[in-house]
Amino acid sequence: MFENLHRLAMMGWNITVYAYNFGDWPRDIPVKWIEVPGKKIPTNLLKNLWFSIYTFFALKNTKIPVMTAGTCSWQADIRVIHFVHKSYLDLIKKGRAPYPNDRTLFHRLYQIIFSRIEVALEYIFFKHTKLFITVSAKIAREVDELIRPQKIKTKVIYHAPDQVSVQKDKAGNRFLFVGALDRKGIDKALRILSLLNTKDWHFDVVGTGDLPRWKKLAQSLGIEDRVIFHGATPAADFFATCDYLLFPSNYEPFGLVVSEAASNQCLPIASSECGAMELWRDCPEWLKLSSLDEDKAWAQAIEKIYFNKQMQLDLIKSCRDSFNKWSWDQSAKAYEDALLEFARRG
């Protein structure tokens, strides 16, 4: 949102932002920031509820269209949807996804309450929304299923890759995983790599989670010597040096790590559940893998690339070229077009 608001302001839009924090905004670009009090509230649940109540009354009589992310403000005409909590809760109920940060009984109870409140807010406020902007076609379908039989205008506007000047002339053997380990499929990634019929690969794992648990899994699979868990650390250098992003996430509305990998010529081998993969129009069918596909199918697809270095380079070029057809300037222009159409519709 920062990238798009930044560009909309440069394009002449008069923008007022309600937020707890608003750092790093360029001083030469005009925007009005209204600081919402309460940024030190201890939990996200209470913080979100307070933000919603505050903005509900602050914006109650405004004549200016209000755009918000998800349900963070109850008072909104346009909602930008990055995540559908109802869809993720359905995966939890099916045993296909864990509650986030599910370390103790207290944490689990908190996440149960948090997720159900978010789902309730989606049911209440989505049906009163005038325009949805979603970060992928996948999310657009999920919103449509949630508000059915109502028909509300939905516009898909993807996030864009950053333009990075990285040149990789050699195909290598370094795999990378970036993200919340417990929620984004690190267990499947480890199982997949353990099936590869080669011993010369290396796997860098960047992200937070139950590290002892996943180190133990790597050990039980016999691959602990080739896996390094780096914990929470900046990932930019890893994207620049690794050759593959292995990302079998079972729920990923967009996945900025996928577009970042593409920008850095790090081939994303990511699940079709990742909305960002919609930008790779020429991805071969055999590489369109679901998180539901067997580990063996993933390993076979990877080996097809791994043992054909020219194919690896060709796929990296195809992927990067496809992603680079979409930019943040185009994304901001798409927002402008959507807002102007919204205004014309009254």
Side-chain angles (χ1 to χ4, degrees):
M1 288 305 300
F2 179 92
E3 292 286 352
N4 285 305
L5 290 175
H6 177 195
R7 285 163 175 77
L8 285 170
M10 288 194 297
M11 293 157 69
W13 285 79
N14 185 2
I15 297 172
T16 300
V17 176
Y18 284 77
Y20 286 123
N21 298 291
F22 202 60
D24 299 327
W25 186 268
R27 293 184 179 181
D28 58 333
I29 300 174
V31 66
K32 182 179 180 182
W33 170 37
I34 296 178
E35 183 177 4
V36 177
K39 61 185 177 184
K40 293 185 179 180
I41 294 173
T43 69
N44 282 337
L45 176 58
L46 295 177
K47 206 169 185 177
N48 290 356
L49 287 173
W50 167 244
F51 187 92
S52 299
I53 293 168
Y54 182 92
T55 55
F56 177 79
F57 288 103
L59 299 169
K60 193 170 181 60
N61 298 313
T62 184
K63 302 300 182 184
I64 303 171
V66 176
M67 181 169 68
T68 186
T71 58
C72 72
S73 176
W74 299 343
Q75 190 82 12
D77 305 291
I78 305 164
R79 297 190 185 276
V80 182
I81 309 300
H82 302 92
F83 192 100
V84 178
H85 292 271
K86 169 66 166 56
S87 300
Y88 191 73
L89 185 60
D90 287 344
L91 290 179
I92 294 174
K93 290 178 178 177
K94 294 174 183 176
R96 288 187 52 210
Y99 284 102
N101 195 25
D102 188 14
R103 299 197 306 268
T104 66
L105 181 61
F106 175 80
H107 287 91
R108 184 180 182 83
L109 180 61
Y110 170 82
Q111 291 295 341
I112 288 172
I113 295 170
F114 184 92
S115 62
R116 280 156 177 79
I117 288 176
E118 290 295 333
V119 170
L121 293 176
E122 289 175 347
Y123 273 117
I124 293 168
F125 293 111
F126 276 19
K127 294 179 180 180
H128 299 288
T129 300
K130 298 172 185 175
L131 170 67
F132 288 107
I133 295 175
T134 67
V135 295
S136 65
K138 169 184 179 291
I139 292 299
R141 291 191 295 270
E142 291 176 6
V143 170
D144 182 63
E145 289 173 7
L146 195 147
I147 64 174
R148 203 173 287 170
Q150 283 184 268
K151 293 291 183 182
I152 298 173
K153 179 74 174 177
T154 301
K155 177 77 172 176
V156 177
I157 304 178
Y158 296 102
H159 295 316
D162 293 323
Q163 301 299 315
V164 180
S165 57
V166 172
Q167 187 63 40
K168 294 179 181 177
D169 299 318
K170 283 180 60 179
N173 59 0
R174 297 181 69 92
F175 289 85
L176 174 66
F177 180 100
V178 179
L181 308 187
D182 306 337
R183 189 165 62 86
K184 309 236 175 182
I186 185 59
D187 53 338
K188 189 175 184 72
L190 291 168
R191 294 196 308 269
I192 290 166
L193 288 179
S194 72
L195 297 175
L196 294 190
N197 294 319
T198 177
K199 300 294 184 184
D200 63 345
W201 55 263
H202 178 88
F203 190 27
D204 289 299
V205 179
V206 178
T208 58
D210 189 350
L211 296 183
R213 176 186 177 186
W214 305 121
K215 288 179 180 179
K216 187 175 180 180
L217 177 59
Q219 186 177 20
S220 70
L221 294 168
I223 58 175
E224 70 275 14
D225 293 339
R226 287 173 283 163
V227 181
I228 298 180
F229 292 88
H230 298 275
T233 189
D237 290 343
F238 293 100
F239 283 112
T241 56
C242 287
D243 306 285
Y244 307 90
L245 173 74
L246 181 54
F247 199 64
S249 178
N250 56 18
Y251 188 75
E252 199 66 33
F254 184 79
L256 284 168
V257 294
V258 175
S259 60
E260 190 167 357
S263 295
N264 283 274
Q265 297 192 44
C266 177
L267 180 64
I269 303 175
S271 60
S272 54
E273 285 81 0
C274 295
M277 292 297 283
E278 295 173 16
L279 286 172
W280 188 3
R281 310 292 186 189
D282 299 325
C283 180
E285 288 297 321
W286 55 268
L287 198 52
K288 294 179 180 178
L289 300 159
S290 168
S291 63
L292 291 174
D293 290 336
E294 292 183 358
D295 300 343
K296 185 178 179 181
W298 281 74
Q300 288 173 340
I302 291 172
E303 285 184 334
K304 187 173 181 176
I305 307 166
Y306 191 92
F307 293 112
N308 187 334
K309 297 306 182 183
Q310 186 56 51
M311 177 187 287
Q312 181 183 343
L313 293 173
D314 291 343
L315 286 172
I316 288 173
K317 184 178 186 306
S318 167
C319 177
R320 192 185 193 199
D321 288 349
S322 290
F323 271 80
N324 283 344
K325 290 177 181 177
W326 184 249
S327 68
W328 284 114
D329 287 338
Q330 289 171 295
S331 176
K333 182 62 171 62
Y335 267 87
E336 180 175 58
D337 292 343
L339 294 172
L340 290 172
E341 181 185 350
F342 177 82
R344 284 193 295 268
R345 290 194 287 119

